[in-house]
Amino acid sequence: MSRAADLTTAFFARPASWPLVLTGLLLAAWLIHRYGWLNPYQQQILMYVGIHIILTASLNLVNGYMGEFAVGHAAFMAVGAYVSSLITVRLFPFQAAPLLFPLALLVGSLAAGIVGLLVAFPSFRTRGDYLAIVTLALNMIVKSAIENLEVIGGPRGFLGMQRLTTLPWVVFWVISSLWLLRNFIYANLGRGVLAIREDEVAAELLGVDTRRVKLHAFILSASLAGLAGGLFAHVVQFITPRSFDIVRSTEILVMVYLGGIGSLAGSVIGATVYTVALEWLRFLGQWRMAIAPLLLVFLMILRPTGIMGLREFVAFIPREERNLRARLEALGRGRQGWPPAGEAGRVGPHGPA
Amino acid sequence: MALLELQGVSRRFGGLQAVADLTLQVPEGELTALIGPNGAGKTTVFNLITGVYRPTGGRILFDGQDLVGLPPAAIVQRGIARTFQSIRLFKGLTALENVRIAHFARVTYGPGAWLSRGRPFREEEEAILAASYQWLERFGLARYALEPAGSLPYGDQRRLEIARAMATRPRLLLLDEPAAGMNPAEVEALMELIRWLQASFQVTIFLIEHQMRMVMGLCQVVHVLDFGRLIASGTPDEVRRHPRVLEAYLGQGAGGS
Amino acid sequence: MPFVAQQMVNALQLGSIYALIALGYTLVYGVLRLINFAHGDIFMVGAFFSFFAAAVLGLPFLPTLLASMAATALLGVMIERLAYRPLRHAPRVSAVITALGVGLFLEHFTLASVGAQPRLMPPLIASAVYQAGPVRVTTVQLVIFLVALLLMLILDRFVNRTLTGMAMRAVSWDKSVVPLMGISVDRIIALTFAIGSGLAAAGGLLYATAYPVIEPYMGVLVGWKAFVAAVVGGIGVIRGAMLGAFVLGGAEVLVAAFLPSTYRDFIAFGLLLLLLIFRPQGILGRREVQKV
């Protein structure tokens, strides 16, 4: 195991390794799609895995990295799904829709990001249980609002989308989302996010503009969920308000806490394990959905931080952050510090060694 | 010249007058102490200065400018940093990360930079990393750089908190009972550290302390608070003989620790 | 005017049911600081217990009420013992996630074991209509209101006047000093779950009496609504839960009277959001001062 880990570390230490892996992934996805290497059902499951990865990673930013407790992620998914579907069905000419699909996804994602503001503002003042309630209420309100909008089908749902989401597209958007999240987390705002999780008051008193950090985190999280919603809508080609209810939100929560909080690798694992396991368990019929939450309960009791639990695969850490120890050693030669040289002997038991 | 000036500052919590009409000055470049019996409102004064609470009356001038109404993060940017009575490190993050976070407000790169992680981004990040590590070294904490802050020994956690506060490059450093829970040897080392800080970084220090020994050994000016009111100000010797101070402390063993 | 009075009666009926469920949220929150997201589904299970007692065993109203309250109370205690107690010292988020998991489990377990098709609750109360001035009141409405009122009065007296009730309030005030007074915190918490779940079961039976269709997902929306009521009243405050329930019931009935009924949820949760922005601690809640 540790040998494999060493090899992975060594591999990803090379600058060319990531582009190689990503190109390989995209190429494989395209080949599978183009030549039908996997049957449509298998491809569909892979697409669900990808969509779930985006959802899980985006919620992980708020719940795992920032330590808030948002429970209504499906609301943003709904906004992205409906907005992008409306665009591809009502706005784009039928033939041009596949080409313009990314545009529709981005607009849907933007719309979801704007709705994300509705959560960001209350989060300035409240956190914990109350933020859970706010996000829950938002989930209910978005669902209820769609039900009352007859122009987009109301409670009967909306259909007419072409199956524009393909495996290569899903792989592309998953890579982009994870890349975006990684770059955000391992930068100044991302450090602010971690500081808020650890101690919001202390963060504020160290000059962290917690409002700016939260605004960024919530908008980023919501718009990625919106993106996933758009992809989802163009796989299933039929969406109803019930597709985005609190049960869906709970499913995303399960994936986050299954894979592990505060970890992109955890999000990938959680989404994959959950999605594939649910497919495998299909033979259980309706009992399947009773077993999944039971697993979650066991998980919370036995390993509350999830499979990865705040740890990260080397591959998901930017190169500059990876070899910190070596870099620190290079920095730390021959510096003067406290206590002044020669007085070290007088320092108490906790002084420098 | 006073760096910090409180003018008639008050704060009420419901029926409790936590701080009443408090007027005091913290002279630039000096070590000033705020002492008083338990529950006298000392920490509340720090919370008012740093914007955690908003005063119900009065003005708080820092370098001649009113701080009242500014959010805490903005006050930090003006140059006030603090530590906490009960240690509030980011316990799950490494010591290095704790100090890096303190650079938050100084970062100048925008979204384009963190998205692309190009040269401007890397250069600034490199500078923050170097500066953070240097703070750890200065405080003799470099060997803990990649350890979770919560796993450090108690005395080192206190020091890391001061290092983290200093990393915001404050002109005024507020220390809330820095010697709490320390043994005499540790207190001695802490006093030395504080003197060293003041001498090396020209930082004005305002500290709350319970241990009279520390206050008497360090500070040029002492303010005494009791039931939210200022009852005495002066040099340590003047304050120690002040009858109202003796009276306030009598219940707790006059002048003791 | 008669129209408004009639709507008031409807609001009282809905509010009574919400109140019984909201109390469970608030009691558990009081002692554990845990939002028991499974509570709506406990209500649903309570409704199913009532259904079995009435339809399968053929019991009349009162025995049905007592049997389903007892069975559901036992379920609540079991959930606490198996799922929540191991997490009492874990981060609070773990417990809340567990609660969500337990709720989903109850839903889907019920779905898998009794099937998805809705069941029809047999009428347990002979229906008659009384004309009181301009207002028509049915026996069902009277029973709902009286049973809810009685249970709430008993609870209020129990919490405020008995030694055990005082211990419950002590636990919600400060868990760490209670063992010093010779009270077992575990037993108080178990008791709280029993009472909360029992009340939810009563709510389940009354709900099924008023709207006699029961199915495994019925607890989701009603549960969330009751939760909104508890928050509106000030979560953790017992009388707040009752007040919040009647406020919410009133608001919903009014909306349903003047707007298409599909706007009901929209209004209920919009109300919640507004309240959280302007008075996050709820109508009767205390504001906690941030400690630094």
Side-chain angles (χ1 to χ4, degrees), chain A residues 179-180 182-184 186-189 191-192 194-199 201-210 212-213 216 220 318 320-321 324-325 327-329 331-333 335-340 343 346-353, chain B residues 50 52 71-73 76-77 82 84 88 90-93 96-97 100-105 107 109 114-115 117 121-122 125-126 128-130 133-134 137-140 143 145-146 153 155-156 159 164-165 168 183 185-186 189 192-193 196:
Chain A
W179 175 80
L180 181 63
R182 186 202 75 161
N183 286 1
F184 177 76
Y186 292 95
N188 199 40
L189 286 166
R191 280 198 292 270
L194 298 183
I196 289 176
R197 175 183 74 202
E198 296 286 322
D199 187 334
V201 176
E204 181 84 12
L205 289 168
L206 284 169
V208 176
D209 184 348
T210 53
R212 189 157 71 94
V213 172
H216 275 83
L220 186 56
E320 308 90 70
E321 297 287 328
L324 266 187
R325 192 172 292 274
R327 282 174 60 204
L328 290 179
E329 275 164 17
L331 282 171
R333 297 233 171 80
R335 284 258 162 71
Q336 281 291 318
W338 179 85
E343 294 185 34
R346 284 172 46 208
V347 181
H350 298 303
Chain B
T50 52
V52 177
V76 178
Q77 286 182 47
R82 72 175 282 184
F84 303 90
R88 291 189 86 147
F90 305 123
K91 290 198 168 57
L93 306 181
L96 178 74
E97 207 69 358
R100 277 215 277 186
I101 286 166
H103 290 81
F104 186 91
V107 166
Y109 61 70
W114 63 254
L115 269 171
R117 298 183 88 83
F121 171 84
R122 287 203 306 270
E125 282 287 301
E126 182 74 30
I128 291 171
L129 184 70
Y133 191 63
Q134 202 179 4
E137 282 186 316
R138 283 172 180 151
F139 281 74
R143 67 211 145 114
L146 299 178
D156 286 334
R159 282 226 299 277
R164 188 178 69 168
T168 66
N183 63 36
E186 287 172 319
E192 213 163 301
L193 172 72
W196 172 78

Side-chain angles (χ1 to χ4, degrees), chain A residues 69 129-130 136 140 148 201 257, chain C residues 29 92 96 224 262 280 290:
Chain A
F69 188 50
D129 298 339
Y130 276 98
L136 168 79
M140 300 285 190
N148 285 300
V201 176
Y257 291 90
Chain C
Y29 190 86
R92 274 175 51 202
V96 179
W224 288 120
T262 45
Q290 183 184 41

Side-chain angles (χ1 to χ4, degrees), chain A residues 201 205, chain B residues 11 13 19 34 41-55 60 70 72 75 82-85 88 174 176 208, chain C residues 289-292:
Chain A
V201 176
L205 289 168
Chain B
R11 170 73 209 207
F13 294 107
V19 174
L34 182 64
K42 303 183 295 289
T43 297
T44 306
V45 173
F46 273 19
N47 284 336
L48 290 168
I49 297 171
T50 52
V52 177
Y53 300 145
R54 207 192 157 106
I60 300 174
L70 290 179
I75 292 174
R82 72 175 282 184
T83 66
F84 303 90
Q85 190 176 352
R88 291 189 86 147
L174 308 176
D176 195 344
I208 292 176
Chain C
V289 176
Q290 183 184 41
K291 281 244 170 75
V292 175

Side-chain angles (χ1 to χ4, degrees), chain A residues 223-302:
Chain A
S223 39
L224 288 179
L227 173 73
L231 288 168
F232 173 77
H234 292 84
V235 178
V236 294
Q237 296 169 276
F238 170 54
I239 49 177
T240 76
R242 289 202 67 161
S243 326
F244 309 104
D245 59 6
I246 188 74
V247 177
R248 168 83 57 183
S249 292
T250 315
E251 233 181 4
I252 307 172
L253 280 172
V254 171
M255 291 188 278
V256 169
Y257 291 90
L258 174 72
I261 55 165
S263 163
L264 291 176
S267 300
V268 174
I269 294 174
T272 312
V273 170
Y274 181 82
T275 315
V276 174
L278 272 195
E279 283 305 319
W280 271 336
L281 293 175
R282 217 165 252 289
F283 68 91
L284 288 173
Q286 288 180 325
W287 290 99
R288 174 177 80 128
M289 293 306 288
I291 286 172
L294 208 57
L295 284 178
L296 180 70
V297 173
F298 282 130
L299 193 76
M300 280 296 129
I301 294 171
L302 300 175

